[in-house]
Amino acid sequence: MTQVVETRETAAPATAGELLELVRTGRAATRSQLRALTGLSRTAVTARVSALTSAGLLQIGEELASTGGRPPGALVFNRHAGVVLAVAIGRSRSQLAVLDLDGQELAADSRDHEVGVGPDELLPDVAGRLTALLQDVAPPVLGIGLSLPGTLDSVRGLSIGSPVMSGWDGVQLAPYFGEVADAPLFVANDADVLARSELLGGAGVLDDVLVVKASTGLGLGIVADGRVLSGHLGAAGEIGHTTVDAAGDLPCRCGATGCLETIAGGWALVARLASETDHHEQPVDHVRDLVALALQGDSFARGLLRDSGRELGEVLAVAINLLNPAAVVIGGDMAAAFDFYVAGVRESVYRRSAPLATRDLQFLPATHGDRAGVVGCGALALDHVLSPVAVDARLATGG
Ligand SMILES: [Zn+2]
């Protein structure tokens, strides 16, 4: 007896959420293109498109006042169907933004805070500022993306190890945002969100990118095959705390000795500048001050940045040999002095990496510059709330 085996093209996108993704990412703009890409019947495509239009996520070309030259019946992703909130918390500054579903900024706010501030002091203030930003925003908040320095547990939504944000480890972050919006909170490391910002209109054309966060601390965001890698415990890319011989037994702020940060992190450069020079009129408290000096022509500050790039490059070379990225993107405060910093990075990388791994390698400044943190936090939230699974779940509950 012949056994009938039912087969289903599991690889082909089939749900409404998957169809929305095809439209949103520009792979399909009409129902017939959706049919061709999915193999679904006319009736099935129509049903899913109508579910998406009822939910306000898709619009049909001819129903729009301006179709922007699209053919009649063209499907358009409605980026105004909701907003996401971005919360990029750094050691001394928090940047906030409200973004539409295409990642365009609708409102923003940035404020400095004291180094060492705890969650109970900072987060109620952040929540209040977000509520103020939402005052003139009508669409519903679909999600909140938050970044912190250090290692984050993305499942439980908390910090599990940050040498710079003491007092934050193990603290549940979502409850602080309960009053702002009835929306899920997604958390990630600050270098990971920098990597995500490059996927949003940046080096996003490239599928394999290493994104360096060169600021007070040093971190690495890894994009491989178009996805951000965070690792088994979320600690991927913590290169600042790699032990390097050149650091000897210098004490690091993480409690260990001999970390890369002790000779190349912004905090270490600021300390060296303060101890080895006395001719600076302006106070140098932050790596941004040091970068400003370098841009004004200070040769000592320029030398420090180049040295930092060189030391980072020693460790980065290993990552380049492992992952063969198309580009190394430099973000963080030191990226403002890109030329000086990258000169050092190149020196080590070309000396230590395999020729094939560096043959087409590009060095680029972060696409979104000083805004990269909030853009990346927005991208983090968007990736979650617009994922096919999340869209399908929202359609199923009528939300
Ligand atoms: Zn360390």
Side-chain angles (χ1 to χ4, degrees), residues 27-364:
R27 280 174 285 171
T30 62
R31 292 180 189 84
S32 57
Q33 284 171 351
L34 285 175
R35 283 208 306 279
L37 281 169
T38 60
L40 288 173
S41 70
R42 185 183 293 266
T43 320
V45 167
T46 302
R48 285 158 178 73
V49 166
S50 113
L52 290 165
T53 51
S54 307
L57 289 165
L58 265 192
Q59 291 174 311
I60 313 288
E62 67 245 34
E63 293 166 4
L64 299 173
S66 160
T67 60
R70 296 181 189 96
L75 304 171
V76 182
F77 171 59
N78 179 16
R79 62 191 175 94
H80 304 297
V83 296
V84 293
L85 305 181
V87 182
I89 297 176
R91 181 171 158 273
S92 61
R93 175 170 70 150
S94 53
Q95 290 173 288
L96 315 177
V98 181
L99 308 166
D100 71 17
L101 298 186
D102 197 31
Q104 301 298 314
E105 195 172 284
L106 304 175
D109 180 15
S110 174
R111 203 168 292 179
D112 288 346
H113 54 246
E114 274 185 39
V115 173
V117 68
D120 279 339
E121 294 154 88
L122 184 64
L123 290 181
D125 173 59
V126 164
R129 286 155 57 202
L130 286 172
T131 303
L133 288 180
L134 283 168
Q135 207 140 46
D136 299 320
V137 173
V141 177
L142 302 187
I144 306 171
L146 178 146
S147 72
L148 275 178
T151 301
L152 279 291
D153 180 331
S154 61
V155 177
R156 291 187 295 155
L158 42 82
S159 166
I160 54 172
S162 173
V164 278
M165 303 296 279
S166 56
W168 289 70
D169 289 354
V171 177
Q172 288 289 342
L173 301 171
Y176 290 98
F177 299 93
E179 302 273 290
V180 179
D182 180 19
L185 176 76
F186 308 99
V187 302
N189 163 277
D190 56 351
D192 285 358
V193 300
L194 215 60
R196 281 177 194 275
S197 78
E198 289 299 321
L199 288 174
L200 201 75
V205 286
L206 305 169
D207 278 343
D208 298 279
V209 185
L210 293 178
V211 185
V212 175
K213 178 160 185 184
S215 273
T216 298
L218 297 173
L220 188 68
I222 304 161
V223 179
D225 274 345
R227 303 168 71 96
V228 176
L229 302 187
S230 46
H232 172 53
L233 293 176
E238 280 288 343
I239 55 165
H241 304 283
T242 304
T243 306
V244 294
D245 289 345
D249 56 3
L250 288 171
C252 183
R253 55 184 186 159
C254 71
T257 56
C259 294
L260 174 65
E261 273 197 11
T262 66
I263 50 172
W267 62 268
L269 304 188
V270 168
R272 263 186 69 193
L273 188 76
S275 70
E276 293 183 26
T277 59
D278 51 13
H279 63 277
H280 294 114
E281 287 156 19
Q282 55 211 87
V284 177
D285 301 321
H286 193 276
V287 66
R288 286 195 290 268
D289 304 328
L290 184 147
V291 166
L293 275 179
L295 294 175
Q296 286 160 26
D298 186 287
S299 57
F300 191 77
R302 287 181 178 186
L304 285 176
L305 288 170
R306 189 177 176 126
D307 288 349
S308 166
R310 199 182 288 123
E311 298 297 348
L312 175 93
E314 297 276 328
V315 178
L316 198 59
V318 179
I320 288 167
N321 280 339
L322 279 174
L323 297 162
N324 184 208
V328 168
V329 171
I330 309 287
D333 291 326
M334 293 196 229
F338 180 78
D339 291 345
F340 306 117
Y341 194 77
V342 95
V345 179
R346 279 173 186 275
E347 229 175 90
S348 305
V349 163
Y350 285 115
R351 190 163 44 78
R352 292 188 66 110
S353 294
L356 199 58
T358 53
R359 197 169 67 187
D360 294 331
L361 185 66
Q362 303 177 64
F363 290 85
L364 306 166

